[in-house]
Amino acid sequence: MSLNYIRRGAGKPLLLLHGLGSSLKAWDLVIDELATQRDVIAVDLPGFGQSPALLGEVSISTLADVVTDFLSQHQLLGIDAVGNSMGGRLVLELARRGQVVGSVVSLDPGGFWQGWQVAYFYHSVRLSAQLSSLIQPILPPLVSNPVSRTLLFAQFSAHPWTIPAPVALNEFREFLPTPSFTKLLDSLAHGPPQQGAPLGSIPNLVIGWGRQDRICPPSQAKRALALFPDAQLHWFSNCGHVPQLDVPAETVALILAVTEGRYEPQTPVSTETKESEVTENVFIGVGVAVLLVGLFLTFGLKR
């Protein structure tokens, strides 16, 4: 199938894959800087942005098939790849398959939840998308105000008020419960679990994780490393689920360092998080949902 994409810069090719309910615009804060040194290809995955939806199954497996075909068509097999969230899981799947991508940077990947985290992920993301759909008519004034923008992005960002209003508007314009979104969300939460890769099979892999990720709590990093023992773990401080929005300069630096083969691992730190911190993340997610409902009702009554 034909995928919508943009291509900027010159140099060694670099693929960017967005997360669930997003589009290639998710990379707006980093793509120009990356393009000063790389030939950057940012893709709208099937059913998102301007790319047509898949017919039938929508899953990490089918998305990986489509991306592999896209890379083959454009003679880009072996390209360095970066993904965030669902896109982070997707680049891990491409790397696991072998001979599809080169160096890999996976930012806050989904797919490593267990137990109560599955229900938390599924219901919090589903509710957020439904609320995003409801507030579309009043979205521009909401994202232009730092206070309401903070409420809207609190589940995804460690400091939402710093996200530029146009970027926030693009994100929430895309974050909708479309058929592709719904199918993929169900598959991510309830479908086959992410498979790992044996030691020595992925030579240059870094998994980046935000310390304040409220979608995929940092405790999940331990399981990610167990499944992908070749990976180095890079912690982003003061960062939520989307590093390219929260810490764009650090994200660019990490991507370039990894894909140029000069990344120096951080001093080893524990991947564990205290149970109280994980519980707090759940309550924060629920609280954000309540705030969004209240925000919608408030603005809705004023219309």
Side-chain angles (χ1 to χ4, degrees), residues 43-243:
V43 175
D44 278 336
L45 291 168
F48 300 96
Q50 300 301 311
S51 289
L54 283 174
L55 299 177
E57 178 185 339
V58 183
S59 65
I60 289 295
S61 179
T62 58
L63 291 183
D65 291 341
V66 170
V67 173
T68 301
D69 288 344
F70 171 85
L71 296 177
S72 297
Q73 293 168 10
H74 293 271
Q75 299 181 332
L76 291 170
L77 286 173
I79 189 173
D80 295 338
V82 181
N84 171 235
S85 190
M86 178 268 291
R89 180 173 175 180
L90 181 54
V91 295
L92 290 175
E93 173 61 20
L94 293 171
R96 190 191 67 79
R97 293 184 176 194
Q99 299 183 329
V100 180
V101 293
S103 298
V104 171
V105 180
S106 177
L107 303 172
D108 294 79
F112 300 103
W113 35 70
Q114 289 182 309
W116 64 266
Q117 294 175 345
V118 176
Y120 167 66
F121 163 76
Y122 177 79
H123 291 292
S124 65
V125 173
R126 180 176 61 87
L127 177 59
S128 294
Q130 290 173 342
L131 290 169
S132 179
S133 179
L134 289 173
I135 63 176
Q136 289 294 309
I138 56 172
L139 197 53
L142 288 181
V143 298
S144 66
N145 184 292
V147 175
S148 52
R149 185 164 70 247
T150 294
L151 295 177
L152 288 171
F153 265 92
Q155 187 180 14
F156 301 93
S157 169
H159 38 88
W161 57 92
T162 66
I163 299 174
V167 174
L169 183 62
N170 285 338
E171 285 297 293
F172 270 89
R173 286 294 192 211
E174 302 285 352
F175 198 66
L176 299 171
T178 62
S180 292
F181 177 99
T182 302
K183 288 180 181 180
L184 189 52
L185 176 62
D186 185 67
S187 176
L188 289 169
H190 306 123
Q194 175 62 54
Q195 299 181 50
L199 183 66
S201 62
I202 307 177
N204 196 15
L205 167 62
V206 172
I207 298 176
W209 221 294
R211 282 287 190 186
Q212 289 76 43
D213 191 334
R214 300 182 186 113
I215 299 293
C216 299
S219 61
Q220 295 177 10
K222 183 177 181 180
R223 177 166 172 77
L225 292 179
L227 287 173
F228 291 89
D230 286 321
Q232 298 284 346
L233 181 61
H234 181 92
W235 289 112
F236 293 103
S237 298
N238 196 25
C239 178
H241 186 62
V242 192

Side-chain angles (χ1 to χ4, degrees), residues 7-63:
R7 193 166 187 170
R8 296 182 187 172
K12 189 180 180 184
L14 176 68
L15 177 69
L16 303 180
L17 299 179
H18 63 79
L20 178 66
S22 189
S23 72
L24 57 81
K25 294 179 181 179
W27 304 102
D28 280 356
L29 293 183
V30 300
I31 191 169
D32 288 341
E33 186 65 25
L34 290 171
T36 63
Q37 301 186 49
R38 304 297 297 270
D39 173 15
V40 184
I41 300 100
V43 175
D44 278 336
L45 291 168
F48 300 96
Q50 300 301 311
S51 289
L54 283 174
L55 299 177
E57 178 185 339
V58 183
S59 65
I60 289 295
S61 179
T62 58
L63 291 183

